Amino acid sequence: FSIPEEQTLSQITSSVIRNLDRLLDSERPDMVIAQGYTPSAFAACLSAFYRHVAFAHVESGLRSNDISLPFPEEINRRLVNHMSTLCFAPTEISRDYLLKEGILPDRVFVTGNTVIDALMEVARQPFDWHRSDLIKIPQGKPIVFVAAHRQENFGKDLRNICEAVGYLARMLESRGTQFVFPLHMTPYVHSRIKQVLGGITNVHLIETLDYCAFVNLLKNSSMLLGDSDQMQAEASAFKLPALVIRDGIKEPTSGA
C-alpha cells in the first residue's frame, strides 16, 4: 500500500492492522512472530490478539522506564509483551523486567541477542562491493556511517542533526572523510535530509541498503552517528565508536 508523505503513527498502525487482518484471514497461521518494538510490531501483535492467534515476540523486555522515551517504542514494548504468548528476551536483565511486570515465567525465554547473531553470520560471508550502491563511495577513506529516522527526532531535531552532519562533512572534507547516509524509506525523513545535505561532495545520500550491504558498510566504517539503539549494539559488536544522536536517556540495550 502507498505511504503518505507525512504519515502519522495512527496511519501507520491502522494500515498495518488492516492489511495484516486480511493476511491472517487468508493464511490462518498457528502463530505470528515479530521482532522489535516499532508501531508495525505492535500492530502485528494486536492483529494476532484480535484473531486469537498465538504471538511470539523477539527482543522482549527492553525498558527505559519512561513511556515517553523512546517514543513511541517504550509503550509499544510494554503493550506487546503483555499480549504475547511467548516472550524471547535477549538477556537476563530483560527477563527480570518481564517477570517484575507480572509476565509468567513459563512464557519467557532468554535467547541471546538475535540481532548480533545475524550480524556476525552475515559479516563472515564474502561481499562484492561492485554489486552495491557502495561502489560510488571512495575506497580506502575514513567512513562515518550516519543514520537518523526516529519519530522523536522529527521536525527541528532532524534538521539540527542534518546541519551538524553538513558542518562536520565540510570541516573534514580535506581529510577525505566520507559521510554515508542511507535514507530511510519514510518520505518525510527522505525529503528533509535531502533538503539540507544534498550537494555536499563527501556526503553520500543513498537509498536504503539491503542487509548484506548494510553490515559491510558498518564493518568498514570508522564511526557511527545514529539514533538507533539496535545500531548501537551492532556498532559495539564491531568495536566501532558510536555517537548517539537522540535525547539523553538511560536505556538498557539488548546487549552485544
Side-chain angles (χ1 to χ4, degrees):
F1 51 94
S2 60
I3 300 176
E5 170 63 23
E6 295 191 24
Q7 58 183 346
T8 66
L9 291 172
S10 296
Q11 288 173 319
I12 295 170
T13 304
S14 60
S15 294
V16 174
I17 290 175
R18 185 171 60 253
N19 284 274
L20 277 179
D21 191 57
R22 288 198 292 264
L23 183 63
L24 294 177
D25 184 48
S26 63
E27 298 298 324
R28 299 188 180 278
D30 295 314
M31 176 175 283
V32 174
I33 302 174
Q35 175 165 345
Y37 32 83
T38 59
S40 56
F42 165 67
C45 183
L46 191 60
S47 297
F49 177 77
Y50 283 164
R51 285 193 168 270
H52 302 285
V53 176
F55 183 85
H57 183 238
V58 179
E59 213 171 29
S60 290
L62 303 188
R63 296 291 185 270
S64 71
N65 298 313
D66 182 342
I67 62 171
S68 63
L69 287 174
F71 178 83
E73 286 85 352
E74 178 68 13
I75 197 65
N76 288 342
R77 294 167 174 168
R78 301 188 190 194
L79 294 172
V80 167
N81 291 160
H82 283 273
M83 286 190 290
S84 297
T85 311
L86 300 174
C87 295
F88 296 130
T91 66
E92 293 290 345
I93 293 175
S94 299
R95 178 180 182 274
D96 289 344
Y97 272 113
L98 295 169
L99 298 182
K100 287 175 183 176
E101 292 175 7
I103 296 176
L104 297 176
D106 60 359
R107 291 170 51 198
V108 181
F109 299 86
V110 178
T111 60
N113 191 331
T114 55
V115 170
I116 301 304
D117 292 341
L119 183 81
M120 292 307 185
E121 176 65 26
V122 172
R124 287 191 288 267
Q125 299 173 7
F127 180 75
D128 185 358
W129 287 77
H130 297 285
R131 297 183 182 178
S132 167
D133 292 340
L134 304 181
I135 192 173
K136 299 176 182 178
I137 301 169
Q139 301 295 302
K141 303 291 185 180
I143 294 174
V144 177
F145 193 125
V146 186
H149 67 274
R150 299 188 75 92
Q151 187 86 20
E152 68 193 55
N153 282 330
F154 281 14
K156 181 182 67 175
D157 288 346
L158 181 60
R159 185 171 187 88
N160 288 342
I161 289 168
C162 292
E163 289 177 349
V165 170
Y167 172 81
L168 291 171
R170 293 183 183 96
M171 184 175 68
L172 298 173
E173 184 175 9
S174 62
R175 301 184 184 181
T177 303
Q178 307 297 308
F179 288 74
V180 183
F181 203 150
L183 298 176
H184 195 267
M185 63 183 67
T186 303
Y188 175 89
V189 177
H190 206 281
S191 61
R192 269 53 176 191
I193 292 172
K194 281 190 171 181
Q195 285 176 8
V196 180
L197 295 174
I200 301 177
T201 305
N202 59 328
V203 176
H204 304 273
L205 303 179
I206 62 178
E207 295 304 312
T208 303
L209 297 168
D210 64 63
Y211 189 60
C212 290
F214 161 78
V215 169
N216 280 274
L217 175 60
L218 189 65
K219 184 172 69 171
N220 287 279
S221 295
S222 301
M223 185 176 186
L224 166 69
L225 301 179
D227 62 2
S228 166
D229 52 351
Q230 176 175 311
M231 287 187 65
Q232 293 172 44
E234 290 165 330
S236 69
F238 287 141
K239 303 189 186 314
L240 181 68
L243 179 63
V244 181
I245 45 178
R246 55 189 295 202
D247 287 338
I249 59 173
K250 294 182 178 179
E251 177 183 356
T253 67
S254 50

